[in-house]
PDB file of all heavy atoms in Angstrom:
ATOM      1  N   VAL X 261      -2.269  -3.881   1.532  1.00 97.00           N
ATOM      2  CA  VAL X 261      -0.995  -3.210   1.827  1.00 97.00           C
ATOM      3  C   VAL X 261       0.156  -3.951   1.158  1.00 97.00           C
ATOM      4  O   VAL X 261       1.048  -3.335   0.565  1.00 97.00           O
ATOM      5  CB  VAL X 261      -0.769  -3.087   3.358  1.00 97.00           C
ATOM      6  CG1 VAL X 261       0.655  -2.681   3.678  1.00 97.00           C
ATOM      7  CG2 VAL X 261      -1.759  -2.089   3.955  1.00 97.00           C
ATOM      8  N   ILE X 262       0.146  -5.258   1.227  1.00 96.00           N
ATOM      9  CA  ILE X 262       1.229  -6.057   0.626  1.00 96.00           C
ATOM     10  C   ILE X 262       1.250  -5.878  -0.891  1.00 96.00           C
ATOM     11  O   ILE X 262       2.311  -5.664  -1.491  1.00 96.00           O
ATOM     12  CB  ILE X 262       1.080  -7.547   1.016  1.00 96.00           C
ATOM     13  CG1 ILE X 262       1.348  -7.714   2.513  1.00 96.00           C
ATOM     14  CG2 ILE X 262       2.009  -8.423   0.185  1.00 96.00           C
ATOM     15  CD1 ILE X 262       0.958  -9.078   3.071  1.00 96.00           C
ATOM     16  N   VAL X 263       0.083  -5.925  -1.516  1.00 96.00           N
ATOM     17  CA  VAL X 263       0.009  -5.773  -2.974  1.00 96.00           C
ATOM     18  C   VAL X 263       0.464  -4.378  -3.397  1.00 96.00           C
ATOM     19  O   VAL X 263       1.270  -4.226  -4.335  1.00 96.00           O
ATOM     20  CB  VAL X 263      -1.417  -6.072  -3.484  1.00 96.00           C
ATOM     21  CG1 VAL X 263      -1.594  -5.656  -4.934  1.00 96.00           C
ATOM     22  CG2 VAL X 263      -1.742  -7.546  -3.312  1.00 96.00           C
ATOM     23  N   LEU X 264      -0.028  -3.350  -2.726  1.00 95.00           N
ATOM     24  CA  LEU X 264       0.371  -1.986  -3.087  1.00 95.00           C
ATOM     25  C   LEU X 264       1.847  -1.744  -2.824  1.00 95.00           C
ATOM     26  O   LEU X 264       2.516  -1.061  -3.615  1.00 95.00           O
ATOM     27  CB  LEU X 264      -0.490  -0.959  -2.346  1.00 95.00           C
ATOM     28  CG  LEU X 264      -1.923  -0.845  -2.859  1.00 95.00           C
ATOM     29  CD1 LEU X 264      -2.721   0.118  -1.998  1.00 95.00           C
ATOM     30  CD2 LEU X 264      -1.945  -0.403  -4.309  1.00 95.00           C
ATOM     31  N   THR X 265       2.381  -2.298  -1.747  1.00 97.00           N
ATOM     32  CA  THR X 265       3.818  -2.175  -1.481  1.00 97.00           C
ATOM     33  C   THR X 265       4.620  -2.832  -2.594  1.00 97.00           C
ATOM     34  O   THR X 265       5.623  -2.289  -3.056  1.00 97.00           O
ATOM     35  CB  THR X 265       4.166  -2.788  -0.111  1.00 97.00           C
ATOM     36  OG1 THR X 265       3.458  -2.055   0.902  1.00 97.00           O
ATOM     37  CG2 THR X 265       5.647  -2.716   0.167  1.00 97.00           C
ATOM     38  N   ALA X 266       4.164  -3.992  -3.047  1.00 96.00           N
ATOM     39  CA  ALA X 266       4.846  -4.688  -4.146  1.00 96.00           C
ATOM     40  C   ALA X 266       4.808  -3.852  -5.430  1.00 96.00           C
ATOM     41  O   ALA X 266       5.817  -3.740  -6.147  1.00 96.00           O
ATOM     42  CB  ALA X 266       4.217  -6.055  -4.379  1.00 96.00           C
ATOM     43  N   LEU X 267       3.666  -3.232  -5.704  1.00 94.00           N
ATOM     44  CA  LEU X 267       3.557  -2.391  -6.898  1.00 94.00           C
ATOM     45  C   LEU X 267       4.468  -1.169  -6.805  1.00 94.00           C
ATOM     46  O   LEU X 267       5.134  -0.800  -7.784  1.00 94.00           O
ATOM     47  CB  LEU X 267       2.101  -1.968  -7.119  1.00 94.00           C
ATOM     48  CG  LEU X 267       1.154  -3.085  -7.531  1.00 94.00           C
ATOM     49  CD1 LEU X 267      -0.290  -2.592  -7.547  1.00 94.00           C
ATOM     50  CD2 LEU X 267       1.544  -3.658  -8.884  1.00 94.00           C
ATOM     51  N   PHE X 268       4.508  -0.526  -5.646  1.00 94.00           N
ATOM     52  CA  PHE X 268       5.414   0.603  -5.450  1.00 94.00           C
ATOM     53  C   PHE X 268       6.864   0.152  -5.592  1.00 94.00           C
ATOM     54  O   PHE X 268       7.698   0.862  -6.153  1.00 94.00           O
ATOM     55  CB  PHE X 268       5.204   1.250  -4.075  1.00 94.00           C
ATOM     56  CG  PHE X 268       4.237   2.399  -4.102  1.00 94.00           C
ATOM     57  CD1 PHE X 268       2.974   2.273  -3.550  1.00 94.00           C
ATOM     58  CD2 PHE X 268       4.583   3.613  -4.655  1.00 94.00           C
ATOM     59  CE1 PHE X 268       2.074   3.322  -3.562  1.00 94.00           C
ATOM     60  CE2 PHE X 268       3.696   4.678  -4.680  1.00 94.00           C
ATOM     61  CZ  PHE X 268       2.436   4.528  -4.136  1.00 94.00           C
ATOM     62  N   PHE X 269       7.191  -1.027  -5.072  1.00 96.00           N
ATOM     63  CA  PHE X 269       8.549  -1.553  -5.172  1.00 96.00           C
ATOM     64  C   PHE X 269       8.953  -1.741  -6.636  1.00 96.00           C
ATOM     65  O   PHE X 269      10.050  -1.345  -7.040  1.00 96.00           O
ATOM     66  CB  PHE X 269       8.677  -2.878  -4.412  1.00 96.00           C
ATOM     67  CG  PHE X 269      10.036  -3.500  -4.541  1.00 96.00           C
ATOM     68  CD1 PHE X 269      11.077  -3.082  -3.723  1.00 96.00           C
ATOM     69  CD2 PHE X 269      10.288  -4.478  -5.486  1.00 96.00           C
ATOM     70  CE1 PHE X 269      12.341  -3.637  -3.849  1.00 96.00           C
ATOM     71  CE2 PHE X 269      11.541  -5.040  -5.621  1.00 96.00           C
ATOM     72  CZ  PHE X 269      12.574  -4.611  -4.796  1.00 96.00           C
ATOM     73  N   ILE X 270       8.065  -2.319  -7.428  1.00 96.00           N
ATOM     74  CA  ILE X 270       8.351  -2.519  -8.852  1.00 96.00           C
ATOM     75  C   ILE X 270       8.575  -1.181  -9.548  1.00 96.00           C
ATOM     76  O   ILE X 270       9.512  -1.024 -10.342  1.00 96.00           O
ATOM     77  CB  ILE X 270       7.211  -3.317  -9.524  1.00 96.00           C
ATOM     78  CG1 ILE X 270       7.196  -4.748  -8.992  1.00 96.00           C
ATOM     79  CG2 ILE X 270       7.325  -3.284 -11.043  1.00 96.00           C
ATOM     80  CD1 ILE X 270       5.934  -5.521  -9.335  1.00 96.00           C
ATOM     81  N   MET X 271       7.729  -0.204  -9.255  1.00 96.00           N
ATOM     82  CA  MET X 271       7.886   1.111  -9.865  1.00 96.00           C
ATOM     83  C   MET X 271       9.209   1.741  -9.434  1.00 96.00           C
ATOM     84  O   MET X 271       9.954   2.267 -10.263  1.00 96.00           O
ATOM     85  CB  MET X 271       6.714   2.026  -9.476  1.00 96.00           C
ATOM     86  CG  MET X 271       6.835   3.412 -10.078  1.00 96.00           C
ATOM     87  SD  MET X 271       5.524   4.532  -9.560  1.00 96.00           S
ATOM     88  CE  MET X 271       5.755   4.568  -7.803  1.00 96.00           C
ATOM     89  N   GLU X 272       9.513   1.683  -8.140  1.00 96.00           N
ATOM     90  CA  GLU X 272      10.738   2.289  -7.638  1.00 96.00           C
ATOM     91  C   GLU X 272      11.972   1.588  -8.221  1.00 96.00           C
ATOM     92  O   GLU X 272      12.923   2.246  -8.626  1.00 96.00           O
ATOM     93  CB  GLU X 272      10.777   2.234  -6.112  1.00 96.00           C
ATOM     94  CG  GLU X 272      11.947   2.971  -5.527  1.00 96.00           C
ATOM     95  CD  GLU X 272      11.837   3.118  -4.019  1.00 96.00           C
ATOM     96  OE1 GLU X 272      10.717   3.263  -3.506  1.00 96.00           O
ATOM     97  OE2 GLU X 272      12.897   3.098  -3.373  1.00 96.00           O
TER      98      GLU X 272
END
Side-chain angles (χ1 to χ4, degrees):
V261 168
I262 292 168
V263 169
L264 287 176
T265 298
L267 291 173
F268 267 108
F269 177 83
I270 292 167
M271 180 183 60
E272 186 170 326

